[in-house]
Amino acid sequence: MIRLTRRAALAFVTTVAFAGLTAAPSLAAAKIQRLVSPGGIEAWFVQDATVPLIAMEYAFGGGAAQDPADKPGTANMVASLMDEGAADLDSKTFHERLERRAIELSYNAQRDAFRGSLRMLKDHRDEAFDLLRLSLSQPRFDAVDVERIRNQVLSNLRRESSNPSSIASRKFLEVAFGSHP
């Protein structure tokens, strides 16, 4: 008869339970399709029927490298404002609609791309895609939102100016790439 200590028995049970949890996702293999629109837009469609969630990531060429020399931070500011109201929805109303349906919509500007992300439960896809469409085609850029976001950006820049990781990252990019965008 094998006699296990309490610690060994706990380790065995934990290992078996963990193995069962990690094996479960492999039972529902995701389908992946490469799609290309008539206009040449490429998309990768990944479908997993086990989760009632739609998640979408998208990017447009451009980004911070295309900021005017005399207006650095333009792409970052635009990205920060894209979910601050659209069409006839002010920022508060726009965010209330997102929150009411647990829709996550965000934008960010990188060096060479302008990116967006959208996540929602399948049941709320119509409203989520409507809000995405409005934010892309009819952003508001209300003065009060521009000033609030500008203050947030300035606060982040002040914090990053004394953050060792941020300083090291900027210095690396400067040494590695010089003035190249």
Side-chain angles (χ1 to χ4, degrees), residues 10-24:
L10 181 61
F12 175 76
V13 170
T14 303
T15 301
V16 170
F18 184 71
L21 288 175
T22 57

Side-chain angles (χ1 to χ4, degrees), residues 34-47:
R34 179 180 175 265
L35 307 171
V36 180
S37 76
I41 298 172
E42 182 176 324
W44 290 82
F45 180 66
V46 180
Q47 185 175 3

Side-chain angles (χ1 to χ4, degrees), residues 54-120:
I54 297 173
M56 187 171 121
E57 303 284 330
Y58 43 94
F60 306 96
Q66 294 185 1
D67 283 352
D70 61 334
K71 294 183 181 181
T74 300
N76 182 47
M77 187 70 167
V78 170
S80 298
L81 286 163
M82 292 294 290
D83 67 346
E84 293 296 329
D88 62 341
L89 305 174
D90 64 9
S91 180
K92 181 178 185 235
T93 306
F94 192 85
H95 281 276
E96 285 172 352
R97 283 187 60 184
L98 290 171
E99 290 171 16
R100 183 177 67 229
R101 301 285 189 211
I103 299 166
E104 295 177 19
L105 173 65
S106 65
Y107 295 95
N108 71 69
Q110 297 176 334
R111 209 173 278 286
D112 297 316
F114 188 86
R115 296 186 172 274
S117 174
L118 179 65
R119 287 179 180 68
M120 85 288 302

Side-chain angles (χ1 to χ4, degrees), residues 81 84-85 87 89-91 139-148:
L81 286 163
E84 293 296 329
L89 305 174
D90 64 9
S91 180
R140 288 183 58 128
F141 303 115
D142 291 339
V144 65
D145 298 324
V146 170
E147 189 58 26
R148 180 174 42 80

Side-chain angles (χ1 to χ4, degrees), residues 2-33:
I2 300 176
R3 188 169 169 173
L4 298 174
T5 65
R6 194 173 255 184
R7 181 178 283 171
L10 181 61
F12 175 76
V13 170
T14 303
T15 301
V16 170
F18 184 71
L21 288 175
T22 57
S26 65
L27 298 175
K31 292 187 264 180
I32 301 173
Q33 296 175 311

Side-chain angles (χ1 to χ4, degrees), residues 136-163:
L136 287 170
S137 63
Q138 300 176 53
R140 288 183 58 128
F141 303 115
D142 291 339
V144 65
D145 298 324
V146 170
E147 189 58 26
R148 180 174 42 80
I149 297 297
R150 186 178 88 66
N151 287 329
Q152 288 175 0
V153 169
L154 290 172
S155 175
N156 287 338
L157 288 171
R158 280 191 295 275
R159 187 175 341 140
E160 285 182 6
S161 71
S162 61
N163 179 297

